[in-house]
Structure formats: C-alpha cells, structure tokens
Amino acid sequence: MTMSVSLIDDLAVLPGLMCDSRMFTQALPDALFVDGFYGGANSLPDMARYSLSRLPSRFAVLGHSMGGRVALEIIRMAPERVSALILSSTGVHPVQPNEAEKRFALLDIGRQQGIEALVDQWLPPMIAPDRRNDSDWFAPLKSMCVDAGLATYEAQMTALLSRPELDDLLPTVACPTLVMTGELDQWSPPAQHQAIAAAIPGASLHIVEGAGHMLPAEQPDMFGSVIQTWLAQTG
C-alpha cells in the first residue's frame, strides 16, 4: 500500500477485475491502495476481509467495477469503519443470463492462447471508442491486465459469478455516498448508476462525459477532481 498525507489520506481504493493501483495512480496518487489482486481470493467476502485486514480502523473507500462490490461487502461486514463510500463504474445486479458462458469463454481463450489473447478480447470494449486506438495510452493499461495473470482472472471471475445479493443492503448504507460512472460505459452504464444512487439514502450521482468503463485511467484529472471536491464537501 502507498500512503502519504493529503486531502484524501484516508481514502482506500479497491480495484476492479484484473486491475491494480496503476489504474488510479495518476488520478489519486496519495490514496491507500489495496493491491496484490486481493491475495488471490475467489469470493467477494474474502476480498473484503483481505482489504479490511490491511486498512486503518477508519477510512473512506472507493470501489471501482468489481471493487465496488467489494466495498459493499465491507459495508456489510464493518460499516462502523467506513466514513464515506464511492462506487465507480460498478453494478449491484445478480448474475445475468449468459454471463457465466461469456466469462468462461474468455477463460478458455486464456487457457488456449494465453493471457494476452484474453486481455485483447476483454479490454477494448471497456474503453471509450476514441481511446482504443491510442497505443501509447493503451499499452500500460493492457500491461497491467496481462500482469494480473490467468489465475487472477479465474479467481475473480469465480467471485463475480458467486456474488452476494445487494438489494437489501443498499437502503441500509448510512455513510455519505458518491456514485459515478462514464457517460460511454457500456458495461456499467449511467442508467444503472442512477438506480444505485436512488437506492442508497442521500447518495450523490456524477456522470463523467466522454469516458468509458476504465474511467480512472481515461479521465484521471476529472475523476480525481470530482472525488476530492466531494470528499471536501462531505467533511
């Protein structure tokens, strides 16, 4: 974990599928990063326990994509430790029809052709169209996902396919909450986040124009600015 004193000194960042701190270092360089791909955990509750064991007694938490679901498991387990919640580019819905088949198809590509082939199939649709052909920008993002490795994809895929129900949890969230996503996020679209914000008492909603699912890397300045401003306003 990286730690330094700043406005967001107590913000813990939980990455999504195949991601680590490299997704966020430009946007939130002074946050606390829960790295290590959750220690290879293959369930969301175990990812939450892994994170809680590495975080201070009191913190704000940002969960991106799968990390948003981990953050909500932390709320379920230890709400008294969370001062503020930020859910970015995530979802709260149960497993969808054909979701398992699609995830296992990617796993088969990884097993047969290697992790790079899996990432080449999975990553581009996560990004806003005008970024996909920017090779200088895309290469580090791809490298991060390739470095995660096939075992991490399989463990995290397993976690997502056995994800706990969240409908009853959302109305109980008592801390200040910000919900945000990219305008062009096809995986976690704005309408999905409008519904999440509506289900959490007092939650704020922010949609970032021109960004896709990999919002923290696509629009790091805007992403960081929105979060720092919101945290300052919530005290």
Side-chain angles (χ1 to χ4, degrees):
M1 291 186 295
T2 301
M3 186 182 301
S4 65
V5 176
S6 76
L7 178 64
I8 52 171
D9 189 29
D10 295 321
L11 175 65
V13 177
L14 307 177
L17 180 69
M18 307 284 279
C19 297
D20 61 22
S21 59
R22 283 172 281 184
M23 170 73 76
F24 307 92
T25 46
Q26 185 176 345
L28 300 168
D30 297 320
L32 310 177
F33 295 109
V34 178
D35 254 342
F37 301 108
Y38 300 101
N42 64 359
S43 80
L44 296 174
D46 282 348
M47 292 178 188
R49 283 186 278 269
Y50 176 93
S51 303
L52 282 166
S53 71
R54 286 157 174 80
L55 292 171
S57 59
R58 183 82 168 163
F59 54 88
V61 63
L62 159 65
H64 176 259
S65 193
M66 180 191 73
R69 291 182 179 271
V70 178
L72 287 167
E73 291 308 305
I74 287 176
I75 292 286
R76 195 194 304 272
M77 293 176 185
E80 74 284 352
R81 291 181 61 181
V82 181
S83 60
L85 172 65
I86 302 167
L87 299 173
S88 171
S89 312
T90 193
V92 297
H93 51 278
V95 175
Q96 301 296 287
N98 300 319
E99 180 180 340
E101 290 81 355
K102 292 176 181 178
R103 293 190 186 276
F104 276 107
L106 280 172
L107 180 61
D108 287 341
I109 289 173
R111 287 172 171 170
Q112 295 166 14
Q113 303 176 42
I115 186 62
E116 188 167 353
L118 184 158
V119 172
D120 282 340
Q121 184 77 20
W122 169 76
L123 183 56
M126 299 284 179
I127 299 165
D130 64 350
R131 280 289 202 177
R132 294 174 192 172
N133 296 320
D134 184 345
S135 58
D136 290 341
W137 176 86
F138 184 82
L141 197 65
K142 176 181 175 179
S143 178
M144 174 190 69
C145 297
V146 169
D147 288 349
L150 189 60
T152 293
Y153 174 79
E154 185 168 8
Q156 295 184 348
M157 177 198 78
T158 300
L160 287 168
L161 290 178
S162 61
R163 56 192 185 246
E165 181 273 332
L166 291 170
D167 286 347
D168 292 341
L169 178 65
L170 296 184
T172 72
V173 176
C175 63
T177 302
L178 171 65
V179 180
M180 63 189 303
T181 194
E183 173 195 17
L184 304 178
D185 189 337
Q186 299 178 24
W187 190 259
S188 303
Q192 183 167 294
H193 288 72
Q194 291 166 358
I196 295 171
I200 297 175
S204 301
L205 175 68
H206 190 94
I207 307 300
V208 179
E209 293 183 6
H213 188 71
M214 297 305 191
L215 169 59
E218 293 180 51
Q219 298 280 357
D221 293 341
M222 178 61 72
F223 185 79
S225 176
V226 168
I227 290 170
Q228 291 193 53
T229 299
W230 181 79
L231 285 171
Q233 291 171 346
T234 61

